[in-house]
Amino acid sequence: MTEIVAVSGPELITYADELAALLVETVDSGASVGFLAPLDREAAAAWWRGRAAEVDAGHQRVWLARDGERVAGTIGLHLTSLPNGRHRAQVTKAMVRPSRRGQGLGRSLLAAVEEAAAAAGLTLLVLDTETGSPAERLYRSAGWTECGSIPRYAGDPAGVLKPTTFYYKAIDGAQNGSAGASTAS
């Protein structure tokens, strides 16, 4: 059984090495998540440790999908401090270990973020992904709406510029639910 939990800044530091392994595997598998291959594991761990202050400050939230102490996936939510945007957030760094893909874990992570956003009173979520990536199927099937693509927006892990597609989802802030832990199979 996989457990999905929101983590604090200190917990994020504790899991930085596991998250680094996940990030390296994700980049090595060809997924475009902002990093180029080959990604050094220590650099990846340092990047995760650098997010801890953002989590503690309330600007970023991070969830882990854990199989015991092993991290099977993660997803983040970047909150804006701009007065005219406090109703929205950006979903970031949605990743599932290649060995766990296709088992519903990505959908469970996405649902955890949506539930937490609703509980926090957010009404709009946005995200982007490489156009044509397998992640697009997940987002569309989870009710996300495509709002456009930008050509040559980001480099894939090999550095080749690819188009990126942007999605949004309106969230019912009146939904009930816990932003804490949930379980997924």
Side-chain angles (χ1 to χ4, degrees):
M1 184 65 86
T2 302
E3 176 185 36
I4 297 176
V5 295
V7 293
S8 67
E11 289 169 322
L12 189 60
I13 290 170
T14 299
Y15 281 99
D17 289 333
E18 272 290 312
L19 285 162
L22 170 63
L23 182 54
V24 169
E25 283 183 36
T26 301
V27 170
D28 286 349
S29 74
S32 181
V33 290
F35 295 89
L36 299 176
L39 178 58
D40 176 72
R41 189 167 170 160
E42 184 48 45
W47 185 85
W48 281 109
R49 287 190 295 272
R51 307 287 70 77
E54 293 179 32
V55 170
D56 283 341
H59 303 299
Q60 179 81 32
R61 296 192 59 197
V62 176
W63 288 261
L64 304 180
R66 299 185 307 199
D67 291 328
E69 292 302 308
R70 183 171 165 91
V71 174
T74 188
I75 196 166
L77 195 61
H78 181 78
L79 305 158
T80 184
S81 60
L82 298 172
N84 73 342
R86 292 190 181 135
H87 66 288
R88 71 176 187 259
Q90 180 178 4
V91 175
T92 61
K93 298 298 178 267
M95 295 181 274
V96 173
R97 285 195 186 274
S99 63
R100 294 293 311 273
R101 292 180 187 160
Q103 301 172 19
L105 188 53
R107 182 173 300 280
S108 294
L109 284 162
L110 196 56
V113 164
E114 292 172 8
E115 182 180 311
L122 298 174
T123 58
L124 180 67
L125 296 178
V126 297
L127 60 79
D128 66 83
T129 191
E130 182 180 313
T131 304
S133 71
E136 284 195 292
R137 271 191 312 275
L138 168 64
Y139 301 137
R140 286 181 184 133
S141 70
W144 287 72
T145 302
E146 179 180 336
C147 56
S149 296
I150 299 175
R152 301 174 47 85
Y153 185 80
D156 68 8
V160 177
L161 295 178
K162 301 282 182 126
T164 295
T165 302
F166 291 80
Y167 289 85
Y168 72 91
K169 188 169 189 180
I171 301 296
D172 179 4
Q175 287 178 326
N176 293 322
S178 166
S182 64
T183 57
S185 50

